Amino acid sequence: TPDNQEVKLSFIAFVLSNSRYKYKKWLDRPFTTQDVMEAHEEAFRWYGGIPREIVYDQDNLIVVSENGGDLILTKEFQHYKETRRLNLRVCRKADPESKGKIENVVGFIKHNFARHRVFHNIDSWNEQGWQWLNRTGNYKIHNTTKKRPVEVFSLEKQHLRPVAEKLTIKNNYENSITRSVHKDNTIRYLSNRYSLPLGTFHKYDTVGIKETEDKQLFIYITDTGELIAKHTIPEGKGQLVKDRSHSRDRTKGIDSFMDTVAKRFEEVDSAYDYLNIIRQNYPRYIRDQLQIISKQTKENNGAILSAALKECVKRNLYSATDFSDIVSYIKRQRQADDTITDNARAVSSINKISGWLMDTEAQKRTVNAYTEILEGESN
């Protein structure tokens, strides 16, 4: 993250066997079976069709057990398979020949896309991921096929089964734990209380929860799967685990926050228009977006902010991370210009000293004086 903190992200990857054309989706929480099904729908839209056969690794969100080709799928995915009429099979355990293609894709995404990249929020992370697919993942020549996946995909796409209709995936939390929301916007779990954002009680009667292996408690809206809170589970009992941000009404004050940030620019109207577009693009993360831009307005002067704003509008870059990148670029350019100017001044100063020395005349002697010295006629 920008604060040098590490976050744990999860992703699902798809790859077409012939062209090696790829798709991926990231989440900042563990995947559920519903997330997997939604990712399938997004992948089918990305590809423009459904493959005639889909091969899976043995993931417990899809497969309960496999014995000699007899599959027992999870209840949700079995229903999805029948609805979409998917023809699928599962890789055998420790079978590199069948799993190698997708494992290579997973490694490629981890080491080429994710490594050394800064995480701001999950929306911008996914957006960068799709841009990376178009620029590198599906455009770079594949080591095995020696072809660009995007070029082979144009032929392979003709053999995909058309997507008959858009399928809406509804989250089903039959297998997850739910908790009642109390009037003080908390829930109880394992003899402790955990805070929720202000106003949750008036919106929802219950929420879904999931405990991870590293003792993190994720709290969701059961209907949409939206993550509303995340807490570390303490060792003791009878504790109130509270997030300070939950005591603020995050549904109010966005307009005021936008006005505050916009007024830090010299072109207030242009800044407000720019922030409004960001608000439309990232409605769920507008506060995070504004915080990133607000930080830049506090650390940089008006000239740099104005130049960055004009450049972002010119290049149609409407996100806080893009704005921060443009600010950093402009600062580097100006530092380079200042260095050149300082060097020019240094050279000019030396020239002045050199001119003074050039104007100073040394004492001159006649040739006869040197002749007398050589002949020994002078002491």
Side-chain angles (χ1 to χ4, degrees):
T1 69
D3 300 327
N4 292 324
Q5 301 294 321
E6 289 189 354
V7 292
K8 185 176 182 179
L9 305 177
S10 304
F11 72 92
I12 183 172
F14 302 80
V15 60
L16 293 182
S17 179
N18 181 52
S19 65
R20 306 302 205 274
Y21 199 74
K22 293 167 279 292
Y23 177 75
K24 63 186 175 71
K25 180 182 181 180
W26 294 82
L27 289 180
D28 54 359
R29 55 178 172 80
F31 270 80
T32 65
T33 302
Q34 284 73 28
D35 295 325
V36 172
M37 294 186 293
E38 287 178 354
H40 275 70
E41 290 299 300
E42 294 178 14
F44 295 154
R45 290 194 293 270
W46 176 269
Y47 291 131
I50 302 175
R52 300 192 183 277
E53 182 183 59
I54 308 179
V55 183
Y56 296 94
D57 198 353
Q58 296 198 19
D59 191 286
N60 57 13
L61 296 178
I62 298 175
V63 181
V64 176
S65 66
E66 183 270 336
N67 182 18
D70 294 329
L71 302 178
I72 299 178
L73 306 180
T74 59
K75 178 181 177 181
E76 297 90 344
F77 200 81
Q78 178 66 33
H79 177 71
Y80 178 69
K81 170 183 176 294
E82 295 171 355
T83 303
R84 274 296 186 209
R85 297 183 290 112
L86 301 179
N87 178 25
L88 61 89
R89 63 184 178 88
V90 177
C91 297
R92 296 177 179 178
K93 294 182 179 180
D95 183 4
E97 292 185 1
S98 59
K99 299 168 63 174
K101 291 179 182 178
I102 190 61
E103 287 183 346
N104 289 337
V105 171
V106 169
F108 187 34
I109 293 171
K110 284 183 177 180
H111 301 298
N112 189 289
F113 170 75
R115 178 170 290 182
H116 307 309
R117 198 176 290 267
V118 178
F119 175 83
H120 293 276
N121 58 68
I122 196 63
D123 284 346
S124 63
W125 185 265
N126 270 314
E127 184 179 351
Q128 293 175 43
W130 296 324
Q131 293 172 354
W132 174 84
L133 284 175
N134 290 326
R135 183 180 63 252
T136 302
N138 290 326
Y139 187 79
K140 185 179 179 181
I141 295 177
H142 195 275
N143 290 333
T144 302
T145 64
K146 306 303 179 183
K147 298 178 182 179
R148 301 184 193 277
V150 66
E151 296 173 353
V152 185
F153 173 68
S154 62
L155 300 175
E156 188 176 22
K157 184 178 180 180
Q158 303 172 14
H159 300 280
L160 298 178
R161 176 162 56 88
V163 182
E165 59 182 6
K166 184 177 180 180
L167 185 66
T168 302
I169 304 297
K170 294 184 178 180
N171 286 286
N172 183 351
Y173 284 86
E174 292 180 357
N175 298 326
S176 65
I177 305 173
T178 59
R179 284 291 184 272
S180 297
V181 180
H182 298 278
K183 290 184 179 180
D184 58 352
N185 295 298
T186 63
I187 62 168
R188 297 183 183 275
Y189 178 67
L190 297 180
S191 302
N192 290 312
R193 291 188 299 146
Y194 298 87
S195 69
L196 299 174
L198 192 66
T200 304
F201 172 74
H202 297 290
K203 296 180 180 179
Y204 309 103
D205 295 328
T206 61
V207 291
I209 63 173
K210 182 178 179 64
E211 181 181 345
T212 64
E213 296 179 356
D214 55 350
K215 294 297 182 181
Q216 296 291 317
L217 183 67
F218 292 88
I219 307 175
Y220 309 94
I221 302 302
T222 52
D223 292 334
T224 63
E226 178 186 354
L227 181 67
I228 60 172
K230 182 174 69 172
H231 296 285
T232 300
I233 299 175
E235 294 294 336
K237 296 182 179 181
Q239 302 183 44
L240 171 60
V241 183
K242 188 174 182 179
D243 186 335
R244 291 184 179 180
S245 65
H246 291 167
S247 61
R248 300 194 306 267
D249 188 353
R250 298 179 66 86
T251 62
K252 299 179 180 180
I254 295 297
D255 292 336
S256 176
F257 196 0
M258 288 181 61
D259 289 338
T260 301
V261 175
K263 289 177 181 178
R264 293 175 183 166
F265 289 82
E266 295 177 355
E267 300 84 358
V268 178
D269 292 338
S270 298
Y272 194 77
D273 292 339
Y274 180 75
L275 297 177
N276 260 326
I277 296 177
I278 293 180
R279 187 176 188 175
Q280 295 173 11
N281 294 341
Y282 302 95
R284 290 173 53 189
Y285 299 92
I286 181 57
R287 185 177 294 275
D288 297 327
Q289 293 279 314
L290 290 174
Q291 286 174 346
I292 295 172
I293 296 178
S294 176
K295 182 179 179 182
Q296 294 296 331
T297 61
K298 295 177 181 178
E299 296 177 352
N300 299 282
N301 59 45
I304 292 178
L305 297 175
S306 297
L309 179 62
K310 291 178 181 177
E311 192 67 20
C312 286
V313 173
K314 177 182 177 181
R315 297 181 179 274
N316 199 30
L317 302 174
Y318 290 95
S319 78
T321 53
D322 289 334
F323 182 83
S324 299
D325 291 341
I326 292 297
V327 167
S328 298
Y329 171 77
I330 292 174
K331 290 171 68 175
R332 289 196 301 270
Q333 291 296 106
R334 297 199 173 193
Q335 288 174 358
D337 293 341
D338 291 342
T339 302
I340 294 174
T341 303
D342 291 342
N343 290 338
R345 290 174 180 172
V347 172
S348 177
S349 177
I350 292 174
N351 286 340
K352 289 180 180 179
I353 297 175
S354 300
W356 176 78
L357 291 174
M358 293 295 291
D359 292 337
T360 303
E361 293 186 3
Q363 182 182 0
K364 297 179 180 179
R365 296 181 180 181
T366 63
V367 177
N368 293 335
Y370 293 101
T371 303
E372 291 176 356
I373 293 173
L374 293 174
E375 294 177 352
E377 296 180 2
S378 177
N379 294 329

